[in-house]
Amino acid sequence: MLFDPSLDALSSIRQQLDLPQHFLNFGQGDSAAWEFGVSTQPILYAPYKFFLLIADITKLARISRVLDDSEISTWTRIQQELCDWPRALDTEDELLAALYAFSVQILLLKSNPNITYDEKSRQAEVYLEAGLKHVPFLNLDHHFPSYLLWPLAILGSACTTFEERKTIQTCISLISIQKPGGHASWVHRRLRKIWSVVNKTNENDPAKRRLLGLQVLLDGDNEDD
């Protein structure tokens, strides 16, 4: 969904998909599992409802105009729901969980209807710097490439300096070596295109350039690799 805007349409048919039957073990009678959607599927590594929340955040963040009243209500609901997730996202891999948290906050920040663009830019820089500090210490062995690459793509799109981009590039290169298959290389190529666009912009403020890169990522890639 992050890389393909056409998948935003899935949010409108979510109820028909009957997702709980695929991801919840109701036979155990676990009330916490019912409330938070605790996954019994190892491929997710997190409650499936968290990924639905990410889908909603991504859809909102893709919007480049001012949000309308309905979208503002959705943004407010998501912000409130995110307050409940730290308890449900307890994991042995705290670094990756933190990386997801920073990435989600950057997406939510981009569509924040309550602050100015300048403030969004400044706060995005803070989240990016915090996230980049975690990247070199990630454990790449226990996760599927897609799960690792999602936050790296978001953070990478907001990078504007050589040092920042090198941190992301190094991690993606390691994923490509340890988990061959092309996905990491595709994300790397996508980021290089984004960085090229950002480098050509007339915007001189590095903080504002970060949000530009994120928007290019969210707009999708209509060109063939």
Side-chain angles (χ1 to χ4, degrees), residues 173-212:
S173 295
L174 288 173
I175 294 173
S176 182
I177 293 171
Q178 296 183 24
K179 300 174 181 293
H183 198 181
S185 296
W186 184 90
V187 171
H188 197 186
R189 290 196 300 272
R190 182 78 185 101
L191 285 175
R192 287 201 298 268
K193 289 184 179 180
I194 292 169
W195 295 335
S196 177
V197 171
V198 172
N199 288 341
K200 294 175 182 177
T201 183
N202 293 325
E203 177 56 65
N204 293 321
D205 186 340
K208 293 181 180 180
R209 287 156 63 93
R210 301 190 190 287
L211 290 184
L212 171 62

Side-chain angles (χ1 to χ4, degrees), residues 115-153:
I115 60 177
T116 66
Y117 186 84
D118 286 345
E119 184 60 27
K120 292 178 185 180
S121 301
R122 286 191 291 269
Q123 291 188 28
E125 190 162 17
V126 172
Y127 286 126
L128 174 66
E129 290 177 358
L132 289 177
K133 291 178 181 178
H134 289 71
V135 172
F137 305 102
L138 286 175
N139 185 341
L140 307 182
D141 295 329
H142 301 303
H143 301 287
F144 290 97
S146 296
Y147 194 72
L148 293 162
L149 292 167
W150 189 89
L152 291 175

Side-chain angles (χ1 to χ4, degrees), residues 158-177:
C159 291
T160 60
T161 69
F162 173 80
E163 292 76 13
E164 292 169 348
R165 292 170 178 175
K166 183 178 180 181
T167 299
I168 297 295
Q169 286 180 309
T170 299
C171 188
I172 293 179
S173 295
L174 288 173
I175 294 173
S176 182
I177 293 171

Side-chain angles (χ1 to χ4, degrees), residues 34-182:
W34 176 273
E35 179 181 359
F36 290 109
V38 176
S39 174
T40 59
Q41 305 293 327
I43 193 171
L44 292 182
Y45 295 103
Y48 82 95
K49 289 185 179 180
F50 180 68
F51 289 91
L52 297 182
L53 202 59
I54 284 178
D56 289 339
I57 293 170
T58 304
K59 185 177 179 180
L60 278 180
R62 211 181 312 273
I63 300 172
S64 57
R65 55 169 172 75
V66 175
L67 301 185
D68 61 30
D69 290 342
S70 174
E71 291 160 348
I72 290 174
S73 296
T74 299
W75 186 93
T76 302
R77 171 185 60 80
I78 291 172
Q79 185 186 46
Q80 293 171 344
E81 289 184 14
L82 278 175
C83 294
D84 295 329
W85 284 108
R87 179 163 64 91
L89 290 176
D90 288 339
T91 173
E92 293 182 0
D93 195 338
E94 295 181 358
L95 287 175
L96 186 57
L99 211 61
Y100 259 77
F102 290 128
S103 301
V104 167
Q105 287 297 336
I106 289 175
L107 286 180
L108 191 64
L109 175 67
K110 182 181 177 298
S111 55
N112 189 332
N114 303 316
I115 60 177
T116 66
Y117 186 84
D118 286 345
E119 184 60 27
K120 292 178 185 180
S121 301
R122 286 191 291 269
Q123 291 188 28
E125 190 162 17
V126 172
Y127 286 126
L128 174 66
E129 290 177 358
L132 289 177
K133 291 178 181 178
H134 289 71
V135 172
F137 305 102
L138 286 175
N139 185 341
L140 307 182
D141 295 329
H142 301 303
H143 301 287
F144 290 97
S146 296
Y147 194 72
L148 293 162
L149 292 167
W150 189 89
L152 291 175
I154 292 174
L155 295 178
S157 71
C159 291
T160 60
T161 69
F162 173 80
E163 292 76 13
E164 292 169 348
R165 292 170 178 175
K166 183 178 180 181
T167 299
I168 297 295
Q169 286 180 309
T170 299
C171 188
I172 293 179
S173 295
L174 288 173
I175 294 173
S176 182
I177 293 171
Q178 296 183 24
K179 300 174 181 293

